[in-house]
Amino acid sequence: MDLRLTAKAAATDAERAAVDEVLGPPPSQWEGGARRAQDAHQAFGGHAARGRRHQLITVLHAIQDKAGWISPGALDYVAERLTVPPAEAFGVASFYAMFRTVPPATGLSPGTVVHVCDDVACQVAGAEALCAEMTRRFGPEGADRVPTGNGFHGAGVTWQRSPCLGKCDLGSAALIQRAGTAAPRRDLAPVTPDAVRDALAGSGPAAGVPLGVLVPQLSSRTGPGFASPDIAASPGSGPVSLLRRVGRVDPASLGSYRAAGGYEMLRRALRLGPQGVIREVRDAKLAGRGGAAFPTHIKWDAVAANPVRPKYVVCNADESEPGTFKDRVLMEADPYALVEALTVMGYACGAEQGYLYIRGEYPTAEGRLAHAVAMAREHGFLGPRVMGESFAFDIEIRRGAGAYIAGEETALINSLEGKRAEPRNKPPFPAQSGLFGQPTAVNNVETLLSVLEILRVGGPAYAAVGTPGSTGTRLFCLSGCVPAPGLYEYDFGVTLRTVIDGAGGVAGGRPLQAVLLGGAAGVFVGPQALDMPLTYEGTRAAGATLGSGVVLVLDDTVSVPALLRRITRFFRDESCGQCVPCRVGTVRQEELVARLAGPVSGEPGSGKPAPLGSVAAELALLKDIGYVTRDASICGLGQTALSAVESAVKLGLIGTDFTGTDFPGTDSQGV
Amino acid sequence: MWGSNAREAHPIFFHHVLKGIRNGAKMYAVDPRRSSTAKWADAWLGIHVGSDISLANAIANEIIAAGLVDEEFIRRATVNFEAYREAVARYPLERAERDSGVPRELIRQLAHDYAKADRAQICWTLGITEHHNAADNVLALINLSLLTGHVGKYGSGLVPLRGQNNVQGGGDMGAIPNKLAGFQDIELDEAARNRFGAKYGVPVPGKKGYHLSQMFDAMERGELTCAYVIGENPVSSEADTHHTRKLLEGLDCLVVQDIVMTETAKVADVVLPGTASWCESEGTVTNSERRVQRVRKAVDPPAGARDDIWIIGELARRLGYDWGDPTAEDLWNEVRELSPMHRGMSFEKLERLGGIQWPCPDEESQGTLFLHARLWEEDPARRGAPAPFHVVEQDDPLDTLTAEYPIRLTTGRRLDSYNTGAASNLYVTPLRQPETLNLSPEDAAALGLADDEIARVTSRRGSITAPVRADGTLREGLAFMTLHFPEQVETNILTLDTWDPKSGTAEFKATAIRVERATPEEAAAFWERTTSLEV
Amino acid sequence: MTSVFLETPRRLVDVEIDGQAVRVPEGATLLDACRARGIDTPTLCYLENLTPVNVCRVCVVEVEGSRTLVPSCSRTAEAGMNVHTDSERVRTSRKMVLEFLASSADVSLASADVRRWIASYGVDPSRYGSPAPDAGAGERDAARPGEHHAPAGDAAATVGQPVKVDNEAYVRDYSRCILCYKCVEACGEDAQHTFAIAVAGRGFEARISTEYDVTLPDSACVYCGNCIGVCPTGALMPLSEYAMRQAGTWDESRQTVTSTICPYCGVGCNVDLHVQDNTIVKVTSPLDSEVTHGHLCVKGRFGFEFVQRRRREE
């Protein structure tokens, strides 16, 4: 490709080294290396060169981690190495929130960015107070500052608000990006300004990957269903349990995993054969747990039956739905199980390569998974002959870079290809044309672990758990106003009341105002919904959704309008911007909710603007905005971006004289 | 892509190439420079200038040795294969590597990929034809297509890219020494001669005329004393500018018909101001793929400028022949009457189909997408004359590299400019860069010349000054210039006017030069000249 | 000697559109089918010479059995499909898409078709309040993904910003940009493969940009102007046209369009010369040209000065 490189300054040695660490040294003059004699008469480019693009995000991470931002010179070097035009590479770098394309303002490089979660669950737990304290200690949000006297040493620090970091059970959370260090990304929860200071000073808890800890520090507060030996006794819990190993196995130890029955399910799968595995999954009636509840066996069967090769399987570990932390817990506590389950999926689908796409905000989980993959490879559970059989399979872990939309499966596929995480129009579905245009199956972490359970008890036995329409067990992410937030597993069919009671009921015995089900893309339900069974069919009948299993409990003191402002901000921030309904609709929704809700403490806004015309006119507008985003957006993000606000209006939690009800297609398809 | 920088010289053709690449097609580029075209290739073969035949013959030898020839096609549709095989046997990969500099493994890879492809094309431009042995270069490529059967089939074939919007049309109309309109041979085709003679009422001599290079030779000998030049600027475009200008100045009478005052017009006795054929008059042109297309009048020409048809008609009238007042369509219908391959192309049909590729012999025909399909016919009668292999041998550039002239200068085009710039230098483009002598970074460093410093460039014919630009796409010993800015830098003072006896093309692509730092006086003179041009 | 390549005959597919049977060749889109039926279907990001990106969503239709509306430009017609193009759902979504765009971008120079659709679908951009003030130069380009100032709701956000004039060939007025991706496609893999521009940023701050928003002369741009050729809203236009519009002398009612062939290389590109007052004011290429597919190079699009100058020198 006739690239034109435009940077005024070349990449620094450190930036080149960061890239070369991923890609190896440049093979020739034509890819950014020194001029060699053999370059005078030959060069290789074309399809093979352009085929390297899929490594773009990995390489951008390497630069970000090393230098604290993606400089023009570094981008040019990447462009040369991967044959990606600089404008395209910039389009990718500027898409993801974890990449910075401007230098740290202090000029002190590499910079440090502290992302403090202020999303829905943390809001309820007091994020505004935390942010106020962060401002007092570290300066206004987004401002780089040379800290003095707080124990920092020479690095510019910026703090900024972050969407959900998946630590909703812990009350507060931060992600610290600190370029040029051994741990360029660290997760921290719960968060206090002192903890941030200590972490930056290096005196906080060991960064990164605490391996070798038998019982990991997963949560400071655990519910009965989580990290507790009492799990089998939790209400409704039967023979199936996704959490059976959580807190009981050492996430760093393959031996510990095997002692707990690890890799028996892969052995069983290899005995059943690919079709046998798919049959079990079909008999189990497993539906995807990521939010869309699509029957898993249909995806697998379509990929397995497709004659085109190669095929790919992908684990979607880009858990980003606000209020959701289940996949993180599973990956941190039971990483080998996910490696095993993805291997089973590859076997069933006829793939030789699996990708595990994990959000960049989960460094601890990523570290443990990387270790698990390496150990599995070392012990023959991955590689050219998995478990000694004639089945070749390997897994590559790919790190997201701060984009909720990357959790949408086709957006995730684009991200794996080194592109902006923009969803693709369907059809074609990934099973026909997915990663690199090849047949691809994508499943969420909880779905995959459910497959291990299916193999353990058998498809029919699994289907016997739960209800006819919703089989097996389901993880619920309890947060908000409950005494014992955490991850809970129940058989399908449990009511909302039971789940809340399982976490101790509404904290302090206060009245329940509402529950946000399914996350930001979900819906608010009121106390009258407490006896709703938490099944696909039960929630659908009530116009609600299970989504990703979020149960955010709100007592009467919580400001729902403030939550709605956070949710609408979230959707505007996370819309990829590709299609008009979502790109503009999320903006218009945020403006509208701002008018209805008025200014929220800690956010800009000068007095409460009068609604345009009347509340009725606003609600009519909301109805139209909801209509087009739901009905005409490309993907589930847009299609669900107004669910929460609309449900809050219906419950009278905002804009009290709303009357419109006839929205089409109320079943939610979360991303 | 062999000797073609279509990315810059034929950008919209290259869109089609890129479409093929996007659909999975593989591309090889053979070019001394890693041009912007070559950068799109799966592999670039950076040959030494003028080593094309050695490379092509070695590819052929490898294809034969690997048993990848299309034996059936060769047997049925070609002749002279045995002689060819023996000849190319003298070109093992080792020899081609030595001649071209390209590693043998890469040559082998190209040979195998070309031979094994379901469909394959060889496209070329001036990198093949601006050599003293241009026709042999072309034959070497044709041989490869015959060897593999990559000809006469949809998607396969040989694609020479024409440089001007109607250079093909000029040939179509008989503006070549040995053909009448429609490529009817003036010496061999008596029937055609008679048809033209009957139409015009004069006998058509059965003897071919001179091509351009021969005309200059004839001027040199004093045999050719009068020239009528229409829309051509030989003073700027021909190799060895000094010599060309001298010859034209020495003519008894030089008439130039053009739309602007070109360097050639400046030395003419009579200048006839014509119209811009593509936007000020009606007619047709033929593009590189034999597509006859309508040009139309969109604007009125400037006062005093006359339609070319009118000018020629008026000349005839003054010479005693009244040809009436024909329209472009009248003349086109005359072509259709005399040229069988154009017969089916009425103005109405050209309009309706948006252009037609010849041959289009009758009303039913929609034109012809590709040529030589007859070679695949089962029936020998329909298959017609077999296509001959031509034995061609490597023949190094005439302007040899010596200690005195150690650097090989090759010439080419830039995207925003066109030929001698008579048209293209008049529009403003942010891309435009002044002419430079591009040198490899190594040569520039060895000469101690930084970018924009003025070098004196000397060939066996003359010397010019130009600013230097270090260019990483060039290897040591290879230099590059364009000929877009003759008023700033007269590149063609350097080039050699030795021409290919078969095609009449001069060897613009291979000049031996010496580069030195210009004296301060020369540099000052250069900047003064170019600055005055900008005002 | 003659041989004509014929495409393999395609099978035909029967669909029903608005209650009427339509037969289209296999592989045709629903948009093809609608147009074959003469149904006026609005499109913004679709163009015959580009791969459909289906991002504007204004061409959506209702296909029975489909949960959401589908973009007709890219959905292949399948046998037995029952399609509605004028249902309440379709009308509402089309109207809203147009309203979203008209409330956030300046569509005053959009084609007559677009203005007709805006009128016929009853678009009312004022429903969102008065437009917010334009952003300062470079402000939108500096936006970072996942961050924005939370609005007070008292004004409707727009993409308004100063015009970018950084070269002699054309201007970029991104206040008019509806992010249809066409320019990116034309600059990129649907034609030019120069990739000087791409979509950068995300969400409402997504924008067409060079790397780091460098000027076009500092970018990979080769001034083919194929981005101008596909821009539906006048966000991209030749500097000469922009200057004439600023001066009030641009008058399409006095312009003629004549189809001819580019005077430069041997490719034979079809060019349409737009002439006002015996002066070429713009060059385009017809989308249905087998040679160009509507695309030109810098010479073809801008290199006509040599014939103009003669007239000025009269």
Side-chain angles (χ1 to χ4, degrees):
Chain A
M1 189 182 291
D2 50 346
L3 298 173
R4 181 170 169 207
L5 306 179
T6 62
K8 308 284 185 220
T12 65
D13 288 346
E15 288 165 341
R16 290 177 69 100
V19 175
D20 291 353
E21 204 165 299
V22 178
L23 301 176
S28 80
Q29 155 196 357
W30 306 111
E31 288 113 328
R35 211 159 147 105
R36 311 162 312 161
Q38 57 266 49
D39 296 334
H41 291 281
Q42 67 174 12
F44 298 93
H47 296 284
R50 292 191 298 280
R52 296 181 202 128
R53 177 182 181 147
H54 65 97
Q55 301 181 91
L56 177 58
I57 290 166
T58 307
V59 172
L60 292 176
H61 266 302
I63 298 169
Q64 174 70 42
D65 285 355
K66 181 74 81 183
W69 74 296
I70 316 290
S71 73
L75 193 83
D76 269 5
Y77 185 57
V78 173
E80 260 187 306
R81 293 300 312 271
L82 299 178
T83 315
V84 180
E88 287 260 318
F90 180 77
V92 173
S94 62
F95 183 89
Y96 295 94
M98 289 176 74
F99 297 142
R100 294 171 66 100
T101 53
V102 289
T106 55
L108 291 176
S109 183
T112 298
V113 185
V114 181
H115 303 263
V116 177
C117 177
D118 75 335
D119 216 324
V120 282
C122 286
Q123 277 279 329
V124 174
E128 286 311 324
L130 174 61
C131 288
E133 181 65 9
M134 289 295 291
T135 302
R136 200 178 64 75
R137 293 280 293 276
F138 302 120
E141 183 191 359
D144 289 9
R145 192 180 198 209
V146 184
T148 50
N150 280 328
F152 304 137
H153 303 286
V157 173
T158 298
W159 81 273
Q160 62 187 58
R161 292 163 184 261
S162 164
C164 182
L165 291 170
K167 304 277 176 61
C168 318
D169 51 336
L170 302 177
S172 61
L175 174 79
I176 303 177
Q177 278 184 287
R178 202 167 191 210
T181 67
R185 278 158 286 100
R186 302 180 49 179
D187 39 3
L188 188 67
V191 178
T192 62
D194 280 345
V196 171
R197 182 199 60 200
D198 293 346
L200 294 176
S203 61
V209 197
L211 295 171
V213 182
L214 183 62
V215 179
Q217 298 297 308
L218 291 162
S219 173
S220 63
R221 288 182 281 174
T222 56
F226 167 57
S228 160
D230 300 336
I231 186 164
S234 83
S237 172
V240 172
S241 172
L242 298 169
L243 297 177
R244 65 176 57 255
R245 284 172 301 273
V246 169
R248 297 184 184 164
V249 299
D250 176 356
S253 165
L254 177 56
S256 166
Y257 178 64
R258 295 201 69 191
Y263 279 104
E264 284 175 18
M265 297 312 120
L266 178 57
R267 172 72 67 202
R268 189 165 296 169
L270 294 170
R271 227 174 23 246
L272 286 168
Q275 280 308 307
V277 174
I278 294 173
R279 190 167 54 244
E280 296 294 337
V281 173
R282 186 192 64 209
D283 290 350
K285 298 201 272 184
L286 178 64
R289 306 295 198 232
F294 190 80
T296 303
H297 77 272
I298 293 182
K299 280 187 186 179
W300 290 22
D301 201 39
V303 172
N306 195 323
V308 176
R309 296 194 152 269
K311 313 171 188 198
Y312 298 102
V313 290
V314 177
C315 173
N316 182 349
D318 191 59
E319 176 175 74
S320 307
E321 184 63 48
T324 313
F325 49 90
K326 63 192 176 73
D327 293 347
R328 175 186 58 80
V329 170
L330 291 171
M331 291 187 287
E332 288 181 355
D334 198 9
Y336 287 98
L338 183 56
V339 174
E340 180 181 1
L342 184 54
T343 310
V344 168
M345 181 187 183
Y347 178 69
C349 294
E352 294 190 352
Q353 180 67 47
Y355 289 90
L356 203 160
Y357 187 99
I358 183 169
R359 69 184 302 212
E361 293 88 341
Y362 281 178
T364 302
E366 183 192 333
R368 292 180 181 176
L369 279 166
H371 180 73
V373 166
M375 296 304 290
R377 199 178 287 134
E378 192 177 314
H379 289 88
F381 293 103
L382 290 172
R385 291 184 58 82
V386 172
M387 294 187 89
E389 305 278 334
S390 61
F391 163 52
F393 187 74
D394 215 326
I395 293 174
E396 187 179 331
I397 295 175
R398 290 290 185 88
R399 184 191 311 137
Y404 169 70
I405 188 60
E408 199 277 345
E409 66 176 356
T410 57
L412 187 153
I413 287 170
N414 274 339
S415 190
L416 281 174
E417 292 184 2
K419 298 173 181 164
R420 298 162 58 80
E422 291 175 351
R424 300 175 178 177
N425 206 54
K426 294 187 273 193
F429 293 93
Q432 304 158 295
S433 175
L435 184 62
F436 308 122
Q438 301 295 115
T440 304
V442 184
N443 279 116
N444 150 272
V445 173
E446 185 187 347
T447 313
L448 284 181
L449 291 205
S450 298
V451 170
L452 293 189
E453 288 302 294
I454 289 166
L455 289 174
R456 199 170 59 77
V457 301
Y462 185 90
V465 176
T467 68
S470 307
T471 61
T473 64
R474 186 71 214 256
L475 298 177
F476 293 99
C477 306
L478 269 288
S479 63
C481 307
V482 288
L487 185 60
Y488 294 78
E489 180 175 17
Y490 289 93
D491 291 356
F492 265 116
V494 66
T495 63
L496 178 58
R497 184 190 306 278
T498 305
V499 169
I500 295 175
D501 287 348
V506 180
R510 297 204 65 93
L512 177 70
Q513 184 182 192
V515 177
L516 179 61
L517 278 184
V523 297
F524 288 95
V525 296
Q528 72 279 9
L530 279 172
D531 292 314
M532 173 175 68
L534 295 179
T535 56
Y536 298 122
E537 62 277 16
T539 50
R540 194 176 299 131
T545 177
L546 278 181
S548 56
V550 172
V551 179
L552 174 60
V553 179
L554 311 173
D555 70 16
D556 59 336
T557 66
V558 173
S559 165
V560 171
L563 280 189
L564 290 174
R565 290 212 62 178
R566 183 65 187 91
I567 288 171
T568 57
R569 176 153 66 88
F570 174 81
F571 278 110
R572 176 175 166 173
D573 277 341
E574 299 299 335
S575 166
C576 76
Q578 188 183 202
C579 72
V580 175
C582 176
R583 180 177 76 237
V584 185
T586 55
V587 171
R588 298 292 177 244
Q589 168 180 243
E590 191 190 23
E591 291 166 352
L592 193 153
V593 167
R595 290 192 293 270
L596 289 182
V600 173
S601 82
E603 293 194 355
S606 52
K608 181 163 180 158
L612 298 175
S614 65
V615 170
E618 294 280 11
L619 296 182
L621 192 56
L622 178 70
K623 183 179 159 188
D624 278 356
I625 297 170
Y627 205 114
V628 65
T629 52
R630 182 180 304 98
D631 215 14
S633 293
I634 291 177
C635 80
L637 189 154
Q639 290 161 15
T640 57
L642 270 80
S643 306
V645 171
E646 287 173 345
S647 65
V649 167
K650 279 183 197 168
L651 289 174
L653 299 171
I654 189 169
T656 43
D657 63 347
F658 178 74
T659 51
T661 47
D662 56 336
F663 295 102
T666 45
D667 61 318
S668 165
Q669 300 283 318
V671 294
Chain B
M1 304 294 303
W2 196 314
S4 168
N5 188 10
R7 176 60 153 162
E8 298 192 49
H10 301 93
I12 302 303
F13 164 78
F14 202 67
H15 282 190
H16 294 260
V17 174
L18 288 165
K19 199 170 287 178
I21 288 174
R22 191 180 168 195
N23 288 337
K26 251 183 151 174
M27 179 182 124
Y28 283 87
V30 180
D31 199 304
R33 297 185 302 143
R34 192 162 188 245
S35 64
S36 48
T37 303
K39 284 177 181 168
W40 277 97
D42 292 277
W44 164 65
L45 285 73
I47 61 168
H48 285 305
V49 175
S51 63
D52 306 78
I53 290 177
S54 179
L55 180 65
N57 283 356
I59 290 169
N61 187 42
E62 174 63 25
I63 289 171
I64 294 167
L68 297 172
V69 299
D70 187 334
E71 288 173 7
E72 177 73 6
F73 179 79
I74 291 172
R75 189 179 57 73
R76 292 207 314 199
T78 73
V79 292
N80 205 30
F81 174 65
E82 280 310 315
Y84 176 66
R85 179 166 63 184
E86 282 168 30
V88 299
R90 294 191 294 277
Y91 292 84
L93 293 174
E94 294 72 21
R95 170 167 180 194
E97 177 177 302
R98 200 167 59 241
D99 289 348
S100 69
V102 179
R104 67 193 71 172
E105 182 46 41
L106 182 52
I107 302 172
R108 189 181 160 278
Q109 187 186 318
L110 166 56
H112 284 243
D113 275 355
Y114 177 69
K116 287 177 186 167
D118 287 337
R119 293 181 283 192
Q121 301 183 6
I122 302 176
C123 311
W124 71 86
T125 316
L126 301 179
I128 281 293
T129 52
E130 284 185 347
H131 286 284
H132 74 281
N133 54 346
D136 284 357
N137 280 347
V138 172
L139 291 171
L141 302 184
I142 292 172
N143 288 337
L144 293 179
S145 73
L146 295 178
L147 192 62
T148 51
H150 287 319
V151 67
K153 292 191 295 196
Y154 176 73
S156 285
L158 295 153
V159 186
L161 293 163
R162 313 306 305 252
Q164 290 93 1
N165 84 336
N166 198 30
V167 69
Q168 180 67 50
D172 291 2
M173 296 303 107
I176 40 178
N178 59 341
K179 305 284 185 192
L180 294 159
F183 296 99
Q184 301 173 84
D185 196 288
I186 201 163
E187 293 185 338
L188 306 177
D189 192 342
E190 190 183 347
R193 260 198 330 268
N194 291 341
R195 220 166 33 247
F196 280 83
K199 172 76 185 169
Y200 295 137
V202 288
V204 176
K207 183 170 175 305
K208 69 180 177 191
Y210 290 153
H211 59 59
L212 188 59
S213 302
Q214 288 168 328
M215 288 185 209
F216 284 110
D217 283 357
M219 291 178 203
E220 180 109 58
R221 293 193 303 272
E223 290 170 17
L224 197 157
T225 58
C226 179
Y228 178 15
V229 178
I230 307 179
E232 181 93 14
N233 183 16
V235 169
S236 297
S237 63
E238 289 307 293
D240 199 346
T241 302
H242 288 326
H243 190 58
T244 306
R245 190 193 303 269
K246 193 175 72 110
L247 291 175
L248 290 172
E249 282 170 349
L251 292 173
D252 295 347
C253 176
L254 174 64
V255 181
V256 172
Q257 181 170 323
D258 212 314
I259 60 167
V260 289
M261 200 67 182
T262 61
E263 289 301 304
T264 308
K266 286 177 189 167
V267 301
D269 299 288
V270 179
V271 178
L272 301 168
T275 47
S277 59
W278 66 285
C279 66
E280 293 169 351
S281 66
E282 300 285 328
T284 67
V285 292
T286 310
N287 78 353
S288 214
E289 49 174 354
R290 298 168 282 105
R291 189 187 298 268
V292 177
Q293 303 165 295
R294 282 278 280 111
V295 291
R296 295 178 182 83
K297 178 172 171 172
V299 286
D300 291 326
R306 299 299 171 89
D307 195 286
D308 295 309
I309 295 172
W310 183 89
I311 293 174
I312 293 170
E314 199 59 24
L315 272 174
R317 203 186 323 273
R318 311 267 171 108
L319 292 168
Y321 293 88
D322 186 357
W323 291 347
D325 198 11
T327 63
E329 187 170 9
D330 293 337
L331 293 182
W332 181 250
N333 285 332
E334 186 179 308
V335 171
R336 293 171 61 208
E337 199 180 321
L338 292 166
S339 167
M341 63 187 240
H342 292 105
R343 194 153 291 154
M345 298 182 184
S346 63
F347 261 32
E348 179 275 324
K349 194 158 140 190
L350 286 170
E351 179 97 40
R352 181 157 40 87
L353 299 181
I356 300 171
Q357 289 172 278
W358 60 249
C360 176
D362 51 42
E363 282 306 318
E364 283 69 46
S365 171
Q366 309 264 303
T368 306
L369 193 62
F370 56 93
L371 299 179
H372 313 303
R374 66 171 177 88
L375 294 173
W376 293 93
E377 292 282 356
E378 294 284 335
D379 175 4
R382 294 171 63 104
R383 199 155 66 229
F389 281 95
H390 289 269
V391 172
V392 288
E393 303 287 353
Q394 172 62 28
D395 189 7
D396 292 343
L398 298 173
D399 211 16
T400 51
L401 297 178
T402 59
E404 196 182 352
Y405 299 102
I407 292 179
R408 176 63 75 202
L409 171 69
T410 193
T411 58
R413 306 292 196 275
R414 291 208 198 116
L415 173 65
D416 59 335
S417 294
Y418 180 73
N419 292 355
T420 60
S424 62
N425 290 355
L426 295 183
Y427 78 100
V428 178
T429 147
L431 289 178
R432 180 143 306 141
Q433 295 171 358
E435 182 64 84
T436 51
L437 170 72
N438 289 25
L439 291 173
S440 73
E442 293 82 358
D443 287 329
L447 292 161
L449 287 164
D451 278 7
D452 296 325
E453 290 194 296
I454 305 300
R456 180 171 60 248
V457 190
T458 309
S459 79
R460 295 188 173 94
R461 285 150 299 281
S463 185
I464 59 166
T465 49
V468 163
R469 175 76 39 95
D471 180 348
T473 68
L474 299 172
R475 75 178 80 87
E476 227 176 316
L478 184 63
F480 176 80
M481 297 182 80
T482 79
L483 35 79
H484 295 314
F485 309 99
E487 291 174 350
Q488 292 169 18
V489 177
E490 288 190 88
T491 307
N492 277 338
I493 284 178
L494 304 172
T495 50
L496 178 68
D497 69 348
T498 306
W499 41 270
D500 175 27
K502 296 183 195 165
S503 68
T505 328
E507 192 156 60
F508 290 97
K509 293 295 184 194
T511 304
I513 58 166
R514 175 173 76 238
V515 180
E516 295 147 303
R517 174 181 291 279
T519 64
E521 296 73 34
E522 286 172 322
F526 175 85
W527 290 120
E528 193 182 332
R529 186 170 79 249
T530 51
T531 312
S532 70
L533 285 171
E534 281 161 17
V535 175
Chain C
M1 182 95 172
T2 60
S3 166
V4 174
F5 177 74
L6 297 172
E7 280 187 61
T8 323
R10 286 196 286 179
R11 287 192 302 187
L12 297 171
V13 174
D14 290 308
V15 296
E16 195 175 302
I17 299 182
D18 297 337
Q20 292 195 298
V22 184
R23 175 169 290 186
V24 292
E26 196 174 37
T29 63
L30 291 178
L31 181 64
D32 296 332
C34 288
R35 292 197 164 161
R37 260 265 159 243
I39 297 168
D40 181 29
T41 307
T43 57
L44 291 166
C45 69
Y46 172 83
L47 204 62
E48 287 81 343
N49 59 351
L50 302 173
T51 309
V53 288
N54 52 72
V55 297
C56 78
R57 318 302 280 184
V58 78
C59 72
V60 286
V61 295
E62 187 175 344
V63 175
E64 284 184 18
S66 178
R67 185 173 51 83
T68 55
L69 301 177
V70 305
S72 63
C73 66
S74 50
R75 175 60 67 89
T76 307
E78 292 164 30
M81 268 185 174
N82 207 338
V83 181
H84 302 280
T85 72
D86 200 32
S87 64
E88 179 69 29
R89 283 174 68 186
V90 170
R91 278 199 309 275
T92 302
S93 279
R94 287 181 178 177
K95 172 195 149 174
M96 289 301 292
V97 164
L98 292 166
E99 205 166 270
F100 279 175
L101 291 175
S103 68
S104 58
D106 178 356
V107 295
S108 59
L109 290 185
S111 70
D113 280 341
V114 175
R115 280 174 282 153
R116 175 167 50 81
W117 292 322
I118 285 176
S120 67
Y121 282 97
V123 167
D124 176 14
S126 71
R127 289 210 288 165
Y128 305 90
S130 52
D134 284 1
E139 216 174 291
R140 278 184 58 81
D141 295 293
R144 300 204 348 217
E147 297 174 28
H148 72 278
H149 293 294
D154 51 352
T158 74
V159 298
Q161 59 189 299
V163 183
K164 293 186 179 187
V165 185
D166 59 15
N167 68 85
E168 305 103 320
Y170 42 91
V171 303
R172 297 177 289 156
D173 183 358
Y174 288 132
S175 293
R176 304 180 187 279
C177 177
I178 58 167
L179 214 69
C180 68
Y181 287 52
K182 281 175 173 171
C183 57
V184 174
E185 290 212 297
C187 184
E189 59 183 19
D190 270 337
Q192 180 57 31
H193 286 75
T194 289
F195 302 97
I197 47 171
V199 181
R202 78 176 185 217
F204 193 69
E205 283 68 39
R207 58 211 177 255
I208 308 300
S209 181
T210 58
E211 59 276 18
Y212 301 93
D213 186 36
V214 299
T215 63
L216 285 187
D218 278 342
S219 78
C221 179
V222 293
Y223 306 95
C224 61
N226 290 325
C227 54
I228 299 176
V230 297
C231 179
T233 59
L236 306 172
M237 65 171 64
L239 182 62
S240 52
E241 176 180 343
Y242 178 74
M244 286 178 75
R245 285 182 185 274
Q246 294 292 102
T249 55
W250 182 264
D251 184 355
E252 284 178 16
S253 69
R254 288 194 290 137
Q255 291 175 11
T256 57
V257 181
T258 305
S259 182
T260 185
I261 302 296
C262 173
Y264 288 102
C265 78
V267 175
C269 294
N270 302 82
V271 289
D272 283 347
L273 304 182
H274 301 242
V275 173
Q276 182 179 325
D277 302 332
N278 205 38
T279 299
I280 301 169
V281 292
K282 184 157 80 174
V283 178
T284 58
S285 182
L287 298 185
D288 60 356
S289 160
E290 280 183 58
V291 177
T292 68
H293 297 285
H295 305 299
L296 294 170
C297 80
V298 60
K299 297 185 290 290
R301 199 177 294 276
F302 296 111
F304 50 83
E305 174 63 15
F306 71 99
V307 291
Q308 310 270 70
R309 182 172 295 194
R310 295 149 60 238
R311 268 183 290 281
R312 277 202 305 276
E313 285 167 356
E314 277 173 30

